[in-house]
Amino acid sequence: MKKIRLTCILFVPLLLIGCSSAPLGPYGYTDHYLERSSDATQDAVLPDDETLSRFISFYNPLDRDQIADSVDKIYAEDLYFNDTLVTLLERNALQEHLLATADRLSQMSLQPVNVIRDDNQVYLVWVMEARFSLLGRERLSRTIGISQLRFNRNGQVFFHQDFWDSSQGLDQHLPLLGPMTRWLRDH
């Protein structure tokens, strides 16, 4: 019992100090999105069907060879990319992120459900399936999401914002976070 009290006495003040010095909101994510979203409207063009198909094929399946061969055709050098887990602003950083993602997964695919074209952008509704190994067990994550995409005149994506619930697709499989996530979702 003394250990628990001592831990609380030491941990709670640190937690409060950390919370008090953090910026408002989730580290500027919303402001960053709104800024880049409004900047991105003037240079965007609607992609033709071939360009959109090339984008979808890039993620089917997502693997090292596909990334190495095609990332510079799919994405512009300067970009805004947010997959709800990370925000990136350069193609090289995106390539590193995608390679690391592909290395952690046994398989990942993205199946389009609907394509909505609106002015100068595309909203791609998709189902993502990812297989990965965690604690020696093969896991399947199946989730639905939407990608907001803007393409430049060269057919490259320069604005990519994913909207999906990582607690439904990924977090529920994590050892400590999973049970808590599932409990919160059920209550």
Side-chain angles (χ1 to χ4, degrees):
M1 192 63 145
K2 285 185 179 184
K3 284 185 180 182
I4 293 173
R5 269 190 259 163
L6 181 60
T7 302
C8 288
I9 290 170
L10 294 174
F11 182 69
V12 170
L14 288 174
L15 183 63
L16 293 174
I17 290 169
C19 290
S20 67
S21 63
L24 292 177
Y27 308 106
Y29 159 75
T30 301
D31 291 338
H32 200 90
Y33 165 82
L34 292 172
E35 176 186 321
R36 291 303 292 252
S37 179
S38 64
D39 288 348
T41 56
Q42 62 240 109
D43 298 326
V45 297
L46 274 177
D48 59 23
D49 290 342
E50 182 180 330
T51 301
L52 193 54
S53 291
R54 187 171 54 241
F55 174 83
I56 293 167
S57 294
F58 180 74
Y59 287 95
N60 288 302
L62 181 68
D63 64 32
R64 291 189 70 77
D65 293 337
Q66 180 84 314
I67 296 164
D69 292 343
S70 302
V71 74
D72 59 335
K73 296 175 190 110
I74 302 299
Y75 287 97
E77 190 170 337
D78 295 317
L79 55 81
Y80 170 86
F81 175 91
N82 182 294
D83 65 1
T84 74
L85 303 174
V86 66
T87 301
L88 303 168
L89 304 175
E90 298 173 342
R91 183 173 58 212
N92 289 340
L94 175 60
Q95 183 173 3
E96 289 175 25
H97 171 66
L98 293 175
L99 287 170
T101 299
D103 287 344
R104 287 189 298 267
L105 298 173
S106 305
Q107 179 269 337
M108 191 211 96
S109 64
L110 189 80
Q111 296 304 316
V113 175
N114 195 6
V115 176
I116 302 162
R117 297 170 193 261
D118 179 41
D119 288 331
N120 57 2
Q121 59 193 341
V122 172
Y123 293 91
L124 178 65
V125 182
W126 44 258
V127 172
M128 178 180 63
E129 286 193 1
R131 293 186 183 280
F132 56 95
S133 206
L134 183 66
L135 301 174
R137 288 184 51 207
E138 186 74 13
R139 310 284 176 135
L140 171 64
S141 168
R142 189 164 192 261
T143 186
I144 191 162
I146 299 172
S147 295
Q148 178 185 8
L149 305 168
R150 292 194 178 131
F151 292 79
N152 64 21
R153 296 189 191 293
N154 297 324
Q156 298 167 305
V157 175
F158 69 95
F159 184 90
H160 179 156
Q161 172 66 53
D162 284 343
F163 301 96
W164 66 285
D165 183 358
S166 66
S167 71
Q168 293 283 336
L170 178 63
D171 299 350
Q172 67 181 340
H173 297 287
L174 300 176
L176 296 177
L177 194 55
M180 191 170 25
T181 299
R182 288 188 299 273
W183 183 86
L184 286 170
R185 190 174 52 236
D186 292 340
H187 294 87

